[in-house]
mmCIF file of all heavy atoms in Angstrom:
data_model
loop_
_atom_site.group_PDB
_atom_site.id
_atom_site.type_symbol
_atom_site.label_atom_id
_atom_site.label_comp_id
_atom_site.label_asym_id
_atom_site.label_seq_id
_atom_site.Cartn_x
_atom_site.Cartn_y
_atom_site.Cartn_z
ATOM 1 N N THR A 1 -8.628 10.214 -4.263
ATOM 2 C CA THR A 1 -7.655 9.143 -4.088
ATOM 3 C C THR A 1 -6.466 9.701 -3.320
ATOM 4 O O THR A 1 -6.150 10.880 -3.432
ATOM 5 C CB THR A 1 -7.174 8.634 -5.462
ATOM 6 O OG1 THR A 1 -8.294 8.213 -6.234
ATOM 7 C CG2 THR A 1 -6.217 7.474 -5.315
ATOM 8 N N ARG A 2 -5.808 8.835 -2.550
ATOM 9 C CA ARG A 2 -4.566 9.251 -1.897
ATOM 10 C C ARG A 2 -3.424 8.375 -2.398
ATOM 11 O O ARG A 2 -3.554 7.144 -2.448
ATOM 12 C CB ARG A 2 -4.665 9.142 -0.378
ATOM 13 C CG ARG A 2 -3.352 9.534 0.342
ATOM 14 C CD ARG A 2 -3.500 9.455 1.846
ATOM 15 N NE ARG A 2 -4.516 10.404 2.296
ATOM 16 C CZ ARG A 2 -5.397 10.152 3.269
ATOM 17 N NH1 ARG A 2 -5.392 8.984 3.864
ATOM 18 N NH2 ARG A 2 -6.274 11.072 3.622
ATOM 19 N N ALA A 3 -2.308 9.011 -2.762
ATOM 20 C CA ALA A 3 -1.092 8.307 -3.169
ATOM 21 C C ALA A 3 0.030 8.730 -2.230
ATOM 22 O O ALA A 3 0.434 9.902 -2.230
ATOM 23 C CB ALA A 3 -0.738 8.636 -4.611
ATOM 24 N N THR A 4 0.520 7.798 -1.438
ATOM 25 C CA THR A 4 1.547 8.089 -0.441
ATOM 26 C C THR A 4 2.871 7.477 -0.871
ATOM 27 O O THR A 4 2.975 6.253 -1.029
ATOM 28 C CB THR A 4 1.147 7.526 0.933
ATOM 29 O OG1 THR A 4 -0.117 8.087 1.329
ATOM 30 C CG2 THR A 4 2.196 7.855 1.979
ATOM 31 N N ALA A 5 3.867 8.314 -1.084
ATOM 32 C CA ALA A 5 5.185 7.817 -1.463
ATOM 33 C C ALA A 5 5.770 7.004 -0.323
ATOM 34 O O ALA A 5 5.635 7.359 0.849
ATOM 35 C CB ALA A 5 6.108 8.985 -1.816
ATOM 36 N N ASP A 6 6.433 5.901 -0.674
ATOM 37 C CA ASP A 6 7.003 5.020 0.334
ATOM 38 C C ASP A 6 8.442 4.682 -0.054
ATOM 39 O O ASP A 6 8.967 5.196 -1.046
ATOM 40 C CB ASP A 6 6.142 3.764 0.485
ATOM 41 C CG ASP A 6 6.200 3.180 1.892
ATOM 42 O OD1 ASP A 6 7.288 2.720 2.283
ATOM 43 O OD2 ASP A 6 5.159 3.185 2.586
ATOM 44 N N ARG A 7 9.057 3.788 0.693
ATOM 45 C CA ARG A 7 10.497 3.550 0.546
ATOM 46 C C ARG A 7 10.880 3.067 -0.851
ATOM 47 O O ARG A 7 11.893 3.480 -1.401
ATOM 48 C CB ARG A 7 10.962 2.540 1.591
ATOM 49 C CG ARG A 7 10.873 3.059 3.021
ATOM 50 C CD ARG A 7 11.404 2.035 4.008
ATOM 51 N NE ARG A 7 12.786 1.649 3.707
ATOM 52 C CZ ARG A 7 13.847 2.362 4.047
ATOM 53 N NH1 ARG A 7 13.704 3.510 4.690
ATOM 54 N NH2 ARG A 7 15.066 1.932 3.750
ATOM 55 N N GLY A 8 10.079 2.197 -1.433
ATOM 56 C CA GLY A 8 10.431 1.651 -2.739
ATOM 57 C C GLY A 8 9.382 1.854 -3.796
ATOM 58 O O GLY A 8 9.336 1.132 -4.798
ATOM 59 N N GLY A 9 8.515 2.844 -3.608
ATOM 60 C CA GLY A 9 7.434 3.101 -4.552
ATOM 61 C C GLY A 9 6.378 3.958 -3.891
ATOM 62 O O GLY A 9 6.689 4.973 -3.279
ATOM 63 N N TRP A 10 5.112 3.534 -3.963
ATOM 64 C CA TRP A 10 4.046 4.331 -3.357
ATOM 65 C C TRP A 10 2.844 3.444 -3.056
ATOM 66 O O TRP A 10 2.655 2.401 -3.663
ATOM 67 C CB TRP A 10 3.646 5.489 -4.279
ATOM 68 C CG TRP A 10 3.149 5.063 -5.641
ATOM 69 C CD1 TRP A 10 3.922 4.739 -6.726
ATOM 70 C CD2 TRP A 10 1.786 4.894 -6.055
ATOM 71 N NE1 TRP A 10 3.120 4.387 -7.783
ATOM 72 C CE2 TRP A 10 1.817 4.478 -7.413
ATOM 73 C CE3 TRP A 10 0.566 5.065 -5.421
ATOM 74 C CZ2 TRP A 10 0.655 4.229 -8.134
ATOM 75 C CZ3 TRP A 10 -0.609 4.807 -6.144
ATOM 76 C CH2 TRP A 10 -0.548 4.403 -7.487
ATOM 77 N N ARG A 11 2.009 3.923 -2.117
ATOM 78 C CA ARG A 11 0.815 3.203 -1.700
ATOM 79 C C ARG A 11 -0.434 3.968 -2.134
ATOM 80 O O ARG A 11 -0.467 5.188 -2.061
ATOM 81 C CB ARG A 11 0.802 3.023 -0.177
ATOM 82 C CG ARG A 11 1.858 2.064 0.337
ATOM 83 C CD ARG A 11 1.839 1.927 1.847
ATOM 84 N NE ARG A 11 2.450 3.077 2.503
ATOM 85 C CZ ARG A 11 1.811 3.899 3.311
ATOM 86 N NH1 ARG A 11 0.508 3.752 3.549
ATOM 87 N NH2 ARG A 11 2.443 4.892 3.888
ATOM 88 N N TRP A 12 -1.424 3.224 -2.601
ATOM 89 C CA TRP A 12 -2.684 3.885 -2.975
ATOM 90 C C TRP A 12 -3.763 3.603 -1.934
ATOM 91 O O TRP A 12 -3.755 2.590 -1.256
ATOM 92 C CB TRP A 12 -3.152 3.480 -4.365
ATOM 93 C CG TRP A 12 -3.777 2.121 -4.508
ATOM 94 C CD1 TRP A 12 -5.018 1.725 -4.082
ATOM 95 C CD2 TRP A 12 -3.202 0.978 -5.172
ATOM 96 N NE1 TRP A 12 -5.260 0.415 -4.436
ATOM 97 C CE2 TRP A 12 -4.170 -0.064 -5.106
ATOM 98 C CE3 TRP A 12 -2.011 0.742 -5.831
ATOM 99 C CZ2 TRP A 12 -3.943 -1.325 -5.661
ATOM 100 C CZ3 TRP A 12 -1.785 -0.513 -6.387
ATOM 101 C CH2 TRP A 12 -2.739 -1.515 -6.294
ATOM 102 N N ARG A 13 -4.686 4.530 -1.845
ATOM 103 C CA ARG A 13 -5.870 4.405 -0.989
ATOM 104 C C ARG A 13 -7.058 4.886 -1.813
ATOM 105 O O ARG A 13 -7.145 6.056 -2.187
ATOM 106 C CB ARG A 13 -5.730 5.260 0.270
ATOM 107 C CG ARG A 13 -6.972 5.279 1.178
ATOM 108 C CD ARG A 13 -6.741 6.251 2.325
ATOM 109 N NE ARG A 13 -7.865 6.344 3.238
ATOM 110 C CZ ARG A 13 -8.913 7.153 3.058
ATOM 111 N NH1 ARG A 13 -8.997 7.929 1.981
ATOM 112 N NH2 ARG A 13 -9.882 7.197 3.947
ATOM 113 N N ILE A 14 -7.965 3.964 -2.127
ATOM 114 C CA ILE A 14 -9.096 4.256 -2.997
ATOM 115 C C ILE A 14 -10.390 3.968 -2.242
ATOM 116 O O ILE A 14 -10.699 2.806 -1.933
ATOM 117 C CB ILE A 14 -9.032 3.415 -4.284
ATOM 118 C CG1 ILE A 14 -7.767 3.761 -5.083
ATOM 119 C CG2 ILE A 14 -10.270 3.637 -5.141
ATOM 120 C CD1 ILE A 14 -7.542 2.866 -6.280
ATOM 121 N N PRO A 15 -11.163 4.988 -1.897
ATOM 122 C CA PRO A 15 -12.375 4.781 -1.092
ATOM 123 C C PRO A 15 -13.593 4.407 -1.935
ATOM 124 O O PRO A 15 -13.977 5.124 -2.857
ATOM 125 C CB PRO A 15 -12.577 6.152 -0.432
ATOM 126 C CG PRO A 15 -11.989 7.130 -1.410
ATOM 127 C CD PRO A 15 -10.869 6.418 -2.108
ATOM 128 N N LEU A 16 -14.193 3.268 -1.617
ATOM 129 C CA LEU A 16 -15.440 2.835 -2.247
ATOM 130 C C LEU A 16 -16.554 2.899 -1.206
ATOM 131 O O LEU A 16 -16.313 3.164 -0.034
ATOM 132 C CB LEU A 16 -15.305 1.412 -2.793
ATOM 133 C CG LEU A 16 -14.133 1.157 -3.740
ATOM 134 C CD1 LEU A 16 -14.119 -0.302 -4.181
ATOM 135 C CD2 LEU A 16 -14.194 2.069 -4.946
ATOM 136 N N GLN A 17 -17.769 2.641 -1.639
ATOM 137 C CA GLN A 17 -18.880 2.718 -0.697
ATOM 138 C C GLN A 17 -18.802 1.635 0.371
ATOM 139 O O GLN A 17 -19.142 1.872 1.535
ATOM 140 C CB GLN A 17 -20.219 2.612 -1.438
ATOM 141 C CG GLN A 17 -20.586 3.846 -2.235
ATOM 142 C CD GLN A 17 -22.022 3.813 -2.715
ATOM 143 O OE1 GLN A 17 -22.929 3.407 -1.993
ATOM 144 N NE2 GLN A 17 -22.239 4.244 -3.953
ATOM 145 N N GLU A 18 -18.367 0.439 -0.005
ATOM 146 C CA GLU A 18 -18.447 -0.696 0.911
ATOM 147 C C GLU A 18 -17.096 -1.223 1.374
ATOM 148 O O GLU A 18 -17.041 -2.133 2.199
ATOM 149 C CB GLU A 18 -19.224 -1.838 0.241
ATOM 150 C CG GLU A 18 -20.646 -1.447 -0.121
ATOM 151 C CD GLU A 18 -21.369 -2.528 -0.894
ATOM 152 O OE1 GLU A 18 -20.772 -3.095 -1.832
ATOM 153 O OE2 GLU A 18 -22.523 -2.817 -0.547
ATOM 154 N N ARG A 19 -16.029 -0.689 0.858
ATOM 155 C CA ARG A 19 -14.703 -1.136 1.262
ATOM 156 C C ARG A 19 -13.681 -0.088 0.861
ATOM 157 O O ARG A 19 -14.004 0.901 0.210
ATOM 158 C CB ARG A 19 -14.359 -2.483 0.623
ATOM 159 C CG ARG A 19 -14.267 -2.447 -0.913
ATOM 160 C CD ARG A 19 -13.894 -3.816 -1.451
ATOM 161 N NE ARG A 19 -13.960 -3.906 -2.905
ATOM 162 C CZ ARG A 19 -12.970 -3.578 -3.720
ATOM 163 N NH1 ARG A 19 -11.838 -3.113 -3.230
ATOM 164 N NH2 ARG A 19 -13.108 -3.688 -5.028
ATOM 165 N N MET A 20 -12.442 -0.346 1.254
ATOM 166 C CA MET A 20 -11.332 0.526 0.888
ATOM 167 C C MET A 20 -10.361 -0.272 0.019
ATOM 168 O O MET A 20 -9.986 -1.395 0.376
ATOM 169 C CB MET A 20 -10.614 1.027 2.142
ATOM 170 C CG MET A 20 -9.678 2.184 1.911
ATOM 171 S SD MET A 20 -10.563 3.733 1.593
ATOM 172 C CE MET A 20 -11.289 4.049 3.201
ATOM 173 N N GLY A 21 -9.997 0.303 -1.116
ATOM 174 C CA GLY A 21 -8.992 -0.331 -1.951
ATOM 175 C C GLY A 21 -7.606 0.170 -1.545
ATOM 176 O O GLY A 21 -7.389 1.374 -1.430
ATOM 177 N N ASN A 22 -6.680 -0.756 -1.314
ATOM 178 C CA ASN A 22 -5.323 -0.403 -0.918
ATOM 179 C C ASN A 22 -4.332 -1.148 -1.792
ATOM 180 O O ASN A 22 -4.608 -2.261 -2.266
ATOM 181 C CB ASN A 22 -5.050 -0.787 0.538
ATOM 182 C CG ASN A 22 -6.091 -0.262 1.495
ATOM 183 O OD1 ASN A 22 -6.011 0.861 1.950
ATOM 184 N ND2 ASN A 22 -7.094 -1.091 1.806
ATOM 185 N N GLY A 23 -3.173 -0.559 -1.988
ATOM 186 C CA GLY A 23 -2.151 -1.242 -2.759
ATOM 187 C C GLY A 23 -0.811 -0.564 -2.613
ATOM 188 O O GLY A 23 -0.709 0.562 -2.100
ATOM 189 N N TYR A 24 0.214 -1.252 -3.058
ATOM 190 C CA TYR A 24 1.576 -0.735 -3.014
ATOM 191 C C TYR A 24 2.207 -1.045 -4.366
ATOM 192 O O TYR A 24 2.380 -2.208 -4.728
ATOM 193 C CB TYR A 24 2.349 -1.409 -1.877
ATOM 194 C CG TYR A 24 3.671 -0.764 -1.476
ATOM 195 C CD1 TYR A 24 3.962 -0.545 -0.139
ATOM 196 C CD2 TYR A 24 4.637 -0.404 -2.428
ATOM 197 C CE1 TYR A 24 5.171 0.023 0.256
ATOM 198 C CE2 TYR A 24 5.839 0.168 -2.048
ATOM 199 C CZ TYR A 24 6.114 0.380 -0.708
ATOM 200 O OH TYR A 24 7.315 0.946 -0.324
ATOM 201 N N VAL A 25 2.553 -0.011 -5.122
ATOM 202 C CA VAL A 25 3.271 -0.144 -6.381
ATOM 203 C C VAL A 25 4.752 0.045 -6.079
ATOM 204 O O VAL A 25 5.137 1.033 -5.442
ATOM 205 C CB VAL A 25 2.795 0.913 -7.398
ATOM 206 C CG1 VAL A 25 3.631 0.850 -8.678
ATOM 207 C CG2 VAL A 25 1.313 0.716 -7.723
ATOM 208 N N TYR A 26 5.587 -0.890 -6.523
ATOM 209 C CA TYR A 26 6.986 -0.807 -6.124
ATOM 210 C C TYR A 26 7.929 -1.328 -7.204
ATOM 211 O O TYR A 26 7.506 -1.999 -8.156
ATOM 212 C CB TYR A 26 7.219 -1.570 -4.823
ATOM 213 C CG TYR A 26 7.046 -3.076 -4.902
ATOM 214 C CD1 TYR A 26 8.153 -3.921 -5.015
ATOM 215 C CD2 TYR A 26 5.781 -3.654 -4.824
ATOM 216 C CE1 TYR A 26 7.998 -5.298 -5.070
ATOM 217 C CE2 TYR A 26 5.613 -5.032 -4.867
ATOM 218 C CZ TYR A 26 6.734 -5.852 -4.998
ATOM 219 O OH TYR A 26 6.575 -7.213 -5.049
ATOM 220 N N ALA A 27 9.193 -0.996 -7.026
ATOM 221 C CA ALA A 27 10.257 -1.438 -7.930
ATOM 222 C C ALA A 27 10.991 -2.598 -7.267
ATOM 223 O O ALA A 27 11.656 -2.418 -6.245
ATOM 224 C CB ALA A 27 11.214 -0.289 -8.228
ATOM 225 N N SER A 28 10.882 -3.785 -7.845
ATOM 226 C CA SER A 28 11.454 -4.974 -7.219
ATOM 227 C C SER A 28 12.974 -4.924 -7.148
ATOM 228 O O SER A 28 13.580 -5.657 -6.360
ATOM 229 C CB SER A 28 11.005 -6.227 -7.976
ATOM 230 O OG SER A 28 11.449 -6.187 -9.328
ATOM 231 N N ALA A 29 13.600 -4.069 -7.938
ATOM 232 C CA ALA A 29 15.057 -3.936 -7.890
ATOM 233 C C ALA A 29 15.518 -3.172 -6.656
ATOM 234 O O ALA A 29 16.709 -3.204 -6.311
ATOM 235 C CB ALA A 29 15.562 -3.232 -9.149
ATOM 236 N N PHE A 30 14.596 -2.501 -5.965
ATOM 237 C CA PHE A 30 14.982 -1.639 -4.856
ATOM 238 C C PHE A 30 14.388 -2.048 -3.509
ATOM 239 O O PHE A 30 14.824 -1.559 -2.468
ATOM 240 C CB PHE A 30 14.563 -0.194 -5.152
ATOM 241 C CG PHE A 30 15.279 0.401 -6.330
ATOM 242 C CD1 PHE A 30 14.697 0.388 -7.586
ATOM 243 C CD2 PHE A 30 16.526 0.975 -6.188
ATOM 244 C CE1 PHE A 30 15.340 0.933 -8.678
ATOM 245 C CE2 PHE A 30 17.189 1.524 -7.273
ATOM 246 C CZ PHE A 30 16.598 1.507 -8.526
ATOM 247 N N VAL A 31 13.365 -2.892 -3.516
ATOM 248 C CA VAL A 31 12.713 -3.253 -2.252
ATOM 249 C C VAL A 31 12.153 -4.661 -2.387
ATOM 250 O O VAL A 31 11.731 -5.086 -3.476
ATOM 251 C CB VAL A 31 11.601 -2.237 -1.910
ATOM 252 C CG1 VAL A 31 10.487 -2.265 -2.946
ATOM 253 C CG2 VAL A 31 11.040 -2.468 -0.516
ATOM 254 N N SER A 32 12.147 -5.419 -1.290
ATOM 255 C CA SER A 32 11.670 -6.802 -1.326
ATOM 256 C C SER A 32 10.158 -6.859 -1.176
ATOM 257 O O SER A 32 9.538 -5.957 -0.597
ATOM 258 C CB SER A 32 12.320 -7.615 -0.204
ATOM 259 O OG SER A 32 11.833 -7.200 1.057
ATOM 260 N N GLU A 33 9.571 -7.957 -1.658
ATOM 261 C CA GLU A 33 8.129 -8.124 -1.521
ATOM 262 C C GLU A 33 7.733 -8.257 -0.060
ATOM 263 O O GLU A 33 6.662 -7.796 0.353
ATOM 264 C CB GLU A 33 7.654 -9.346 -2.307
ATOM 265 C CG GLU A 33 6.142 -9.539 -2.255
ATOM 266 C CD GLU A 33 5.642 -10.648 -3.142
ATOM 267 O OE1 GLU A 33 6.217 -10.868 -4.223
ATOM 268 O OE2 GLU A 33 4.654 -11.305 -2.740
ATOM 269 N N ASP A 34 8.591 -8.864 0.751
ATOM 270 C CA ASP A 34 8.279 -9.006 2.177
ATOM 271 C C ASP A 34 8.143 -7.645 2.848
ATOM 272 O O ASP A 34 7.230 -7.419 3.653
ATOM 273 C CB ASP A 34 9.371 -9.821 2.874
ATOM 274 C CG ASP A 34 9.321 -11.296 2.511
ATOM 275 O OD1 ASP A 34 8.275 -11.739 1.999
ATOM 276 O OD2 ASP A 34 10.334 -11.993 2.722
ATOM 277 N N GLU A 35 9.070 -6.725 2.526
ATOM 278 C CA GLU A 35 8.982 -5.393 3.121
ATOM 279 C C GLU A 35 7.756 -4.652 2.616
ATOM 280 O O GLU A 35 7.062 -3.976 3.385
ATOM 281 C CB GLU A 35 10.236 -4.577 2.815
ATOM 282 C CG GLU A 35 10.193 -3.195 3.459
ATOM 283 C CD GLU A 35 11.450 -2.376 3.227
ATOM 284 O OE1 GLU A 35 12.392 -2.880 2.586
ATOM 285 O OE2 GLU A 35 11.476 -1.215 3.684
ATOM 286 N N VAL A 36 7.461 -4.794 1.329
ATOM 287 C CA VAL A 36 6.271 -4.156 0.761
ATOM 288 C C VAL A 36 5.016 -4.690 1.438
ATOM 289 O O VAL A 36 4.109 -3.923 1.792
ATOM 290 C CB VAL A 36 6.218 -4.393 -0.764
ATOM 291 C CG1 VAL A 36 4.848 -4.005 -1.317
ATOM 292 C CG2 VAL A 36 7.312 -3.598 -1.467
ATOM 293 N N HIS A 37 4.955 -5.997 1.616
ATOM 294 C CA HIS A 37 3.800 -6.617 2.279
ATOM 295 C C HIS A 37 3.612 -6.024 3.673
ATOM 296 O O HIS A 37 2.495 -5.644 4.075
ATOM 297 C CB HIS A 37 4.018 -8.127 2.355
ATOM 298 C CG HIS A 37 2.863 -8.897 2.916
ATOM 299 N ND1 HIS A 37 2.547 -8.895 4.264
ATOM 300 C CD2 HIS A 37 1.936 -9.694 2.315
ATOM 301 C CE1 HIS A 37 1.496 -9.658 4.464
ATOM 302 N NE2 HIS A 37 1.101 -10.165 3.297
ATOM 303 N N ARG A 38 4.705 -5.929 4.414
ATOM 304 C CA ARG A 38 4.624 -5.401 5.778
ATOM 305 C C ARG A 38 4.182 -3.946 5.779
ATOM 306 O O ARG A 38 3.293 -3.560 6.557
ATOM 307 C CB ARG A 38 5.991 -5.528 6.450
ATOM 308 C CG ARG A 38 6.046 -4.957 7.871
ATOM 309 C CD ARG A 38 7.417 -5.165 8.488
ATOM 310 N NE ARG A 38 8.460 -4.494 7.737
ATOM 311 C CZ ARG A 38 8.734 -3.193 7.830
ATOM 312 N NH1 ARG A 38 8.027 -2.416 8.650
ATOM 313 N NH2 ARG A 38 9.710 -2.657 7.121
ATOM 314 N N ARG A 39 4.756 -3.141 4.903
ATOM 315 C CA ARG A 39 4.414 -1.720 4.857
ATOM 316 C C ARG A 39 2.959 -1.516 4.423
ATOM 317 O O ARG A 39 2.267 -0.622 4.932
ATOM 318 C CB ARG A 39 5.347 -0.980 3.894
ATOM 319 C CG ARG A 39 6.823 -1.049 4.256
ATOM 320 C CD ARG A 39 7.208 -0.056 5.312
ATOM 321 N NE ARG A 39 7.083 1.330 4.858
ATOM 322 C CZ ARG A 39 7.389 2.376 5.614
ATOM 323 N NH1 ARG A 39 7.810 2.190 6.857
ATOM 324 N NH2 ARG A 39 7.264 3.605 5.153
ATOM 325 N N LEU A 40 2.485 -2.331 3.498
ATOM 326 C CA LEU A 40 1.100 -2.220 3.035
ATOM 327 C C LEU A 40 0.133 -2.547 4.153
ATOM 328 O O LEU A 40 -0.827 -1.804 4.410
ATOM 329 C CB LEU A 40 0.867 -3.150 1.845
ATOM 330 C CG LEU A 40 -0.576 -3.280 1.343
ATOM 331 C CD1 LEU A 40 -1.122 -1.927 0.883
ATOM 332 C CD2 LEU A 40 -0.663 -4.305 0.213
ATOM 333 N N VAL A 41 0.354 -3.655 4.831
ATOM 334 C CA VAL A 41 -0.549 -4.076 5.898
ATOM 335 C C VAL A 41 -0.539 -3.071 7.047
ATOM 336 O O VAL A 41 -1.589 -2.716 7.601
ATOM 337 C CB VAL A 41 -0.172 -5.489 6.391
ATOM 338 C CG1 VAL A 41 -0.977 -5.861 7.628
ATOM 339 C CG2 VAL A 41 -0.392 -6.518 5.281
ATOM 340 N N GLU A 42 0.647 -2.597 7.405
ATOM 341 C CA GLU A 42 0.744 -1.635 8.504
ATOM 342 C C GLU A 42 0.086 -0.301 8.160
ATOM 343 O O GLU A 42 -0.488 0.360 9.029
ATOM 344 C CB GLU A 42 2.221 -1.398 8.853
ATOM 345 C CG GLU A 42 2.898 -2.575 9.534
ATOM 346 C CD GLU A 42 4.375 -2.309 9.801
ATOM 347 O OE1 GLU A 42 4.883 -1.268 9.315
ATOM 348 O OE2 GLU A 42 5.010 -3.133 10.475
ATOM 349 N N GLY A 43 0.159 0.112 6.903
ATOM 350 C CA GLY A 43 -0.349 1.427 6.521
ATOM 351 C C GLY A 43 -1.809 1.468 6.135
ATOM 352 O O GLY A 43 -2.395 2.551 6.006
ATOM 353 N N ALA A 44 -2.424 0.297 5.925
ATOM 354 C CA ALA A 44 -3.809 0.252 5.474
ATOM 355 C C ALA A 44 -4.779 0.515 6.618
ATOM 356 O O ALA A 44 -4.528 0.150 7.758
ATOM 357 C CB ALA A 44 -4.112 -1.097 4.828
ATOM 358 N N GLU A 45 -5.896 1.151 6.291
ATOM 359 C CA GLU A 45 -6.955 1.387 7.257
ATOM 360 C C GLU A 45 -7.922 0.202 7.249
ATOM 361 O O GLU A 45 -8.182 -0.382 6.213
ATOM 362 C CB GLU A 45 -7.712 2.671 6.908
ATOM 363 C CG GLU A 45 -6.847 3.914 6.875
ATOM 364 C CD GLU A 45 -7.610 5.124 6.363
ATOM 365 O OE1 GLU A 45 -8.863 5.080 6.359
ATOM 366 O OE2 GLU A 45 -6.970 6.101 5.937
ATOM 367 N N GLY A 46 -8.479 -0.127 8.403
ATOM 368 C CA GLY A 46 -9.466 -1.189 8.477
ATOM 369 C C GLY A 46 -8.836 -2.571 8.514
ATOM 370 O O GLY A 46 -7.610 -2.742 8.492
ATOM 371 N N GLU A 47 -9.692 -3.590 8.533
ATOM 372 C CA GLU A 47 -9.252 -4.978 8.567
ATOM 373 C C GLU A 47 -9.209 -5.543 7.158
ATOM 374 O O GLU A 47 -10.077 -5.258 6.327
ATOM 375 C CB GLU A 47 -10.196 -5.814 9.436
ATOM 376 C CG GLU A 47 -10.256 -5.380 10.890
ATOM 377 C CD GLU A 47 -11.201 -6.237 11.707
ATOM 378 O OE1 GLU A 47 -11.735 -7.216 11.146
ATOM 379 O OE2 GLU A 47 -11.409 -5.929 12.891
ATOM 380 N N ALA A 48 -8.208 -6.355 6.888
ATOM 381 C CA ALA A 48 -8.049 -6.946 5.557
ATOM 382 C C ALA A 48 -9.219 -7.871 5.230
ATOM 383 O O ALA A 48 -9.630 -8.687 6.058
ATOM 384 C CB ALA A 48 -6.740 -7.705 5.480
#
């Protein structure tokens, strides 16, 4: 697994056989959901 620290939390990358699991765990008191959404989409590998 890869855990990448980001501006308001961290992003996960979990490799499966048929897809990649991606996510962003964050603190809503420090970063907006819009910014998290943008950072997650930009940092993810492959097509959503």
